[in-house]
Amino acid sequence: MNEANGKVFIDPKQLTSYGDATNDGAVQLSFTLPIPHGALAKEAAKKFVQNLGFDKSEIVTMEDMKEGYTFFVVYGHTQKTIDISKIKVMEVNFRVMSREETDAFIQEKIGRPLVVVGATVESDAHTVGLDAILNMKGYHGDYGLERYKMFTVHNMGSQVLCEEVVRKVKETKADALLISQIVTQKNIHIQNLTKLMDLLEIEGVRKDLLAIIGGPRISYELALELGYDVGFGSGTVPSQVASYIATTLSERTEMA
Amino acid sequence: MSRLSITLNRDDVAEAKKTAKTIVDDVFHFINKHTTDTIERTVLRYFGVDGVDAGEAPLPNVVVDHLKKKGVLDTGSAYWISNACVATGKDPQTIAEAVGTNAMDLTTVPSQPLEKVYRFAEETANKALDRVESMRNTRDGLLTGLGDNRKPYKYVIVATGNIYEDVSQARAASEQGADIIAVIRSTAQSLLDYVPYGPTTEGFGGTYATQENFRIMRQALDEIAVEQKRYIRLTNYASGLCMPEIAMMASWEGLDFLLNDSMYGILFRDINMKRTFVDQYFSRLIVALSGITINTGEDNYLTTSDAIEKAYAVTASQLINEAFAKKAGMKEAYMGLGHAFEINPDIENGFLYELAHALLSRELFPNATLKYMPPTKFMTGNVFKGYAMNTLFNLASVFTGQDIQLLGMLTEAIHTPYLQDRYLAILNANYVFNNARILGYELEVKKGCFIEKRANEVLSEALTLLKHTEKVGLMSAIREAHFADISRSEEGGKGLSGVHRKSEGYYNPVLNELEKRLGIEVES
């Protein structure tokens, strides 16, 4: 640890987690082991945490969840560090505008309302995320895309077949497609999204479409990997999505 | 000792209940004249038709599709299967199998004397419903013997997709103190127009509801009940396109609770409204005879709309659900009317709003078994804050005297609950319920202050919606998007092709016998 003038030096080449002191490497963990509560379980938990890279650890609670399952909360200290100067992050770069600004922006740069199709596809029955972005009401006091003058929104709801989404995109000549995936088990969301992207490409509508995915398990990286333009995670508000659509499509219009 | 109470405007209460009844009576002009594919399949199931054909299609579907193709389903499946049984001396299952291999056409079997056909059908229906009542008595006996658990009942969900793994999670949850186990269904099962067959080990976001899965879980919970000397209730979902068939299976396999809402499928699953209204009636008759408690889905109104602004939609829907349930001969104690703790946590005095809404439900339906749903909409990846929100939710419940507590999971909005999430949820509920057990009996709500005013305000808004609904009719009100801001049309949605106007000669001995046993008088 380097200290100068009493100020603790944080080394970006050797960064570690912070508990209550710089470089203490403290991490809080909670997990279940599928073995009965007892001395063996405790020792197993200790070894398990050690294998994860925590040389010093303290099991602060071990509780019997019955049926041969045991719950642990553990504080571990790791010696491992990371070099953040070598990390590259992918960030979507766009300015978030207010609803009025976005409407005016679209009016000026594109000159017609943008058509947005939204759906939750295949097995997913949950529309919470999609509705938060599209519905008038919006989310967290941020109005949904339906409230914008310059968006024409087609909310297809939940459990829509990929084929129907593609049909709708063609039929409405959609500018942007919003796909939400919330409840996913065994990574079904990846299968669903891959299937949809394949269909969009086969049907020849991918190129001119802004394909957006969203959901708690969705990241920008994942979106790019699956062939989409962008991915939005939890906590995204409608004005962010609206601004992204407006700025990206205006850039495309300018380039064309 | 009396529980926490508020004073509601008595005229509004009376008017709201009366209006809800008028709204529902009006829908019955439609219901009584129609039957559906799944109702006819339910009749066949009660007649003993089960299993699948060579192409894995459930035999009740095979027979109903056969009758549809021949254009005679509007007479009712009971007549055709009974006629064939009388003609051949074989049982309904054997007849259905013959239909499944195309070895028999039910419409070309020589017509037997009607009186003989009806006698066979009535005896078969009676035997089936005797089995329902006997299962009910067995359940009641077990519950009386073990004694009931303390309210609010702790309700948890298992959802592994594999019924055998569900059993092991359910065992763990029961031993930790859960009172009710719900096996959540595989996503999208509500949109299947058939019920899958046999035990299942794969599903998405849940486990398929099948009769065999019901039996497996029931048996496991009964074993736990004996070990722990504590009754564990079992829940599944009678919603979607197979409401009455699921209710039938639950009635024979001894389930305690069924999710069953008169409007949920219409609004949130885009199932045709005519189909839903007809199906919900038949399923609730079954539920009423079985002593199964329904759970209604009002919490859904708050996940799509603001929980303060649209609180009245919950109240209006509760009143409509109650009125529909009464028409099906259900007793109040078996009505698990729903509501939820979904107010934005950033709102000042949000907890007071929650108390007002919870007390309104309690006061409006004093004898119902209210079902209280946890925060979901404002749950984030911050599991610690989520855990705190669930603590307040548990406090609101025990304080206001709710009956069924669907325990909130700290990882809501992240993934299906881990075993430890469920454990922590039970720990939280045990802690709060135990610490505040008689809080609601010790404190009073100040007269004429915020909570009481707010409850009356919601009631009055609900009454306005009901009055409008009464004027235009329930189907039109739904089309006008008065419920959940979602518009559905009479001819739209899934399942309309499975709704049939009953012919003059329509015959359904199961329906007749259910109505008779429940003492329901049907206007012709």
Side-chain angles (χ1 to χ4, degrees):
Chain A
M1 195 189 295
N2 298 309
E3 285 183 46
N5 303 330
K7 200 172 176 228
V8 183
F9 177 68
I10 294 169
D11 182 2
K13 289 185 185 297
Q14 290 191 349
L15 191 79
T16 190
S17 55
Y18 187 107
D20 71 345
T22 302
N23 297 332
D24 63 7
V27 170
Q28 178 190 50
L29 297 151
S30 66
F31 56 87
T32 298
L33 287 183
I35 47 170
H37 180 271
L40 177 63
K42 192 161 190 172
E43 205 45 39
K46 222 179 244 171
K47 289 268 176 346
F48 176 63
V49 171
Q50 207 169 45
N51 279 354
L52 293 177
F54 302 99
D55 354 312
K56 271 196 295 165
S57 72
E58 194 186 349
I59 295 172
V60 292
T61 190
M62 170 173 83
E63 300 182 22
D64 185 3
M65 291 198 291
K66 305 288 165 66
E67 281 293 298
Y69 295 100
T70 309
F71 176 60
F72 298 91
V73 177
V74 179
Y75 284 88
H77 293 272
T78 183
Q79 295 292 322
K80 304 210 169 173
T81 60
I82 40 159
D83 179 356
I84 57 168
S85 66
K86 291 206 176 110
I87 299 176
K88 282 200 185 82
V89 260
M90 288 200 246
E91 261 177 320
V92 206
N93 275 316
F94 63 95
R95 186 170 67 90
V96 178
M97 300 179 280
S98 72
R99 181 166 53 97
E100 293 77 7
E101 278 179 284
T102 299
D103 274 338
F105 182 86
I106 297 172
Q107 180 74 54
E108 188 203 322
K109 304 270 180 181
I110 302 170
R112 62 172 176 88
L114 297 172
V115 179
V116 177
V117 169
T120 302
V121 289
E122 302 284 328
S123 56
D124 198 343
H126 296 73
T127 57
V128 183
L130 186 67
D131 288 338
I133 303 299
L134 295 183
N135 275 5
M136 285 268 176
K137 178 76 199 164
Y139 179 65
H140 256 284
D142 197 283
Y143 290 127
L145 265 56
E146 286 178 353
R147 185 83 63 133
Y148 288 63
K149 287 198 192 78
M150 297 305 283
F151 285 117
T152 308
V153 176
H154 302 273
N155 185 344
M156 300 181 75
S158 66
Q159 296 181 339
V160 186
L161 297 176
C162 290
E163 290 81 359
E164 284 180 41
V165 174
V166 176
R167 203 174 303 140
K168 193 86 181 172
V169 165
K170 283 177 150 181
E171 176 197 313
T172 59
K173 297 194 174 65
D175 296 293
L177 175 65
L178 255 70
I179 299 297
S180 162
Q181 292 276 272
I182 291 195
V183 171
T184 72
Q185 200 181 32
K186 298 166 189 161
N187 281 337
I188 183 82
H189 63 296
I190 303 212
Q191 289 175 42
N192 290 344
L193 291 168
T194 308
K195 180 182 167 195
L196 178 62
M197 186 41 72
D198 288 348
L199 278 174
L200 289 168
E201 272 166 8
I202 290 166
E203 295 290 317
V205 289
R206 169 69 188 99
K207 206 166 75 66
D208 299 323
L209 187 71
L210 194 57
I212 302 169
I213 55 177
R217 305 268 293 272
I218 304 292
S219 65
Y220 187 33
E221 286 86 344
L222 179 70
L224 296 184
E225 197 183 312
L226 298 176
Y228 291 80
D229 292 298
V230 73
F232 290 104
S234 304
T236 305
V237 291
S239 58
Q240 291 174 309
V241 179
S243 305
Y244 171 78
I245 295 174
T247 45
T248 313
L249 286 178
S250 90
E251 281 164 19
R252 284 192 186 178
T253 311
E254 277 167 22
M255 296 213 307
Chain B
M1 229 171 35
S2 63
R3 60 168 174 79
L4 194 67
S5 69
I6 49 171
T7 307
L8 295 178
N9 180 331
R10 249 191 244 174
D11 294 342
D12 279 2
V13 172
E15 193 59 23
K17 296 238 169 176
K18 201 182 93 193
T19 311
K21 184 177 184 305
T22 316
I23 291 167
V24 163
D25 284 349
D26 181 51
V27 183
F28 269 82
H29 295 306
F30 184 86
I31 293 173
N32 287 333
K33 291 194 187 81
H34 292 80
T35 186
T36 69
D37 289 358
T38 178
I39 287 177
E40 297 307 323
R41 297 196 295 256
T42 306
V43 171
L44 291 171
R45 288 184 183 278
Y46 272 134
F47 272 46
V49 177
D50 197 8
V52 290
D53 73 1
E56 299 277 297
L59 283 176
N61 286 66
V62 171
V63 175
V64 163
D65 291 348
H66 166 72
L67 294 173
K68 268 168 85 171
K69 208 153 79 189
K70 299 286 171 183
V72 296
L73 190 64
D74 60 357
T75 331
S77 58
Y79 168 77
W80 297 103
I81 199 97
S82 302
N83 185 61
C85 288
V86 173
T88 60
K90 292 183 173 133
D91 64 4
Q93 175 68 12
T94 311
I95 301 291
E97 284 167 8
V99 174
T101 55
N102 289 317
M104 187 184 267
D105 175 351
L106 293 180
T107 59
T108 59
V109 174
S111 295
Q112 303 300 303
L114 209 53
E115 143 207 356
K116 270 193 177 172
V117 174
Y118 282 2
R119 193 186 314 137
F120 175 85
E122 270 156 38
E123 277 171 12
T124 313
N126 267 312
K127 254 187 250 162
L129 296 185
D130 286 349
R131 186 171 157 187
V132 172
E133 294 201 77
S134 133
M135 177 53 84
R136 176 187 186 146
N137 292 336
T138 309
R139 305 314 310 168
D140 286 350
L142 199 54
L143 182 60
T144 314
L146 290 165
D148 203 354
N149 304 341
R150 291 171 90 174
K151 289 175 177 177
Y153 300 136
K154 296 181 285 283
Y155 176 126
V156 298
I157 286 167
V158 294
T160 68
N162 178 337
I163 188 64
Y164 302 104
E165 191 154 2
D166 284 345
V167 163
S168 107
Q169 295 208 355
R171 289 190 64 93
S174 313
E175 288 188 47
Q176 291 156 11
D179 302 304
I180 303 171
I181 303 290
V183 181
I184 205 167
R185 293 199 296 181
S186 184
T187 329
Q189 186 175 351
S190 61
L191 303 182
L192 298 180
D193 209 344
Y194 65 91
V195 182
Y197 179 73
T200 65
T201 53
E202 271 185 47
F204 292 112
T207 308
Y208 285 104
T210 72
Q211 195 171 337
E212 183 60 14
N213 285 350
F214 286 3
R215 200 191 57 74
I216 292 168
M217 186 56 87
R218 177 76 275 172
Q219 195 186 347
L221 295 186
D222 283 353
E223 283 166 16
I224 300 165
V226 171
E227 281 164 28
Q228 297 181 22
K229 301 191 174 47
R230 206 165 66 83
Y231 190 85
I232 312 292
R233 288 179 165 83
L234 175 57
T235 302
N236 213 287
Y237 298 71
S239 59
L241 289 168
C242 296
M243 278 177 145
E245 280 175 283
I246 297 279
M248 173 274 156
M249 293 173 181
S251 77
W252 272 8
E253 301 304 336
L255 268 67
D256 303 283
F257 283 13
L258 282 175
L259 276 282
N260 183 275
D261 192 287
S262 56
M263 297 196 290
Y264 167 81
I266 304 168
L267 299 169
F268 301 101
R269 288 289 176 271
D270 197 13
I271 292 170
N272 176 265
M273 64 173 84
K274 292 176 173 172
R275 173 72 175 259
T276 300
F277 287 136
V278 178
D279 285 348
Q280 64 82 30
Y281 176 57
F282 198 61
S283 67
R284 285 183 178 189
L285 289 171
I286 295 169
V287 161
L289 191 73
S290 315
I292 291 173
T293 300
I294 57 166
N295 287 188
T296 59
E298 280 80 5
D299 50 293
N300 291 284
Y301 291 92
L302 305 183
T303 54
T304 50
S305 306
D306 182 81
I308 292 179
E309 237 172 76
K310 289 295 161 78
Y312 70 87
V314 168
T315 310
S317 169
Q318 287 172 332
L319 286 157
I320 290 172
N321 261 314
E322 182 196 40
F324 269 120
K326 281 187 174 162
K327 290 288 278 190
M330 289 186 62
K331 301 268 180 299
E332 286 172 359
Y334 295 91
M335 298 178 196
L337 299 173
H339 61 123
F341 189 95
E342 286 280 22
I343 292 170
N344 184 342
D346 295 339
I347 286 183
E348 190 174 35
N349 288 323
F351 188 62
L352 269 69
Y353 279 97
E354 296 287 12
L355 291 179
H357 298 172
L359 280 169
L360 171 60
S361 293
R362 182 70 287 165
E363 215 65 60
L364 206 47
F365 310 101
N367 303 313
T369 303
L370 293 179
K371 178 178 184 191
Y372 204 16
M373 298 289 285
T376 60
K377 195 179 176 183
F378 292 95
M379 292 291 278
T380 64
N382 187 337
V383 294
F384 304 101
K385 182 175 182 192
Y387 200 62
M389 284 161 68
N390 286 328
T391 306
L392 276 196
F393 164 59
N394 288 332
L395 183 61
S397 179
V398 70
F399 188 36
T400 60
Q402 306 297 314
D403 303 298
I404 304 167
Q405 184 79 346
L406 196 137
L407 299 189
M409 294 293 141
L410 77 167
T411 50
E412 176 77 43
I414 305 175
H415 49 59
T416 46
Y418 285 176
L419 194 82
Q420 66 196 43
D421 301 339
R422 214 178 284 119
Y423 168 74
L424 289 167
I426 294 170
L427 213 70
N428 185 324
N430 283 342
Y431 160 63
V432 176
F433 293 172
N434 188 50
N435 263 269
R437 187 63 75 184
I438 63 160
L439 185 65
Y441 294 84
E442 287 285 312
L443 301 185
E444 281 178 9
V445 173
K446 269 193 186 175
K447 294 283 159 213
C449 286
F450 182 85
I451 291 178
E452 198 170 86
K453 270 195 201 151
R454 172 63 192 162
N456 277 295
E457 181 181 75
V458 175
L459 173 61
S460 146
E461 287 168 2
L463 184 56
T464 307
L465 172 57
L466 289 174
K467 279 288 171 197
H468 176 76
T469 305
E470 181 187 31
K471 205 165 73 192
V472 300
L474 184 54
M475 296 201 198
S476 300
I478 292 172
R479 192 181 52 233
E480 291 171 6
H482 287 296
F483 294 92
D485 297 327
I486 295 166
S487 167
R488 303 290 186 206
S489 74
E490 277 103 318
E491 310 306 319
K494 301 164 191 84
L496 179 62
S497 66
V499 181
H500 314 281
R501 200 181 162 87
K502 294 174 182 173
S503 71
E504 280 295 316
Y506 178 78
Y507 178 60
N508 185 344
V510 176
L511 175 67
N512 297 343
E513 188 59 25
L514 279 168
E515 285 172 341
K516 193 174 127 197
R517 292 190 188 196
L518 293 164
I520 294 166
E521 287 187 27
V522 183
E523 304 151 37
S524 51

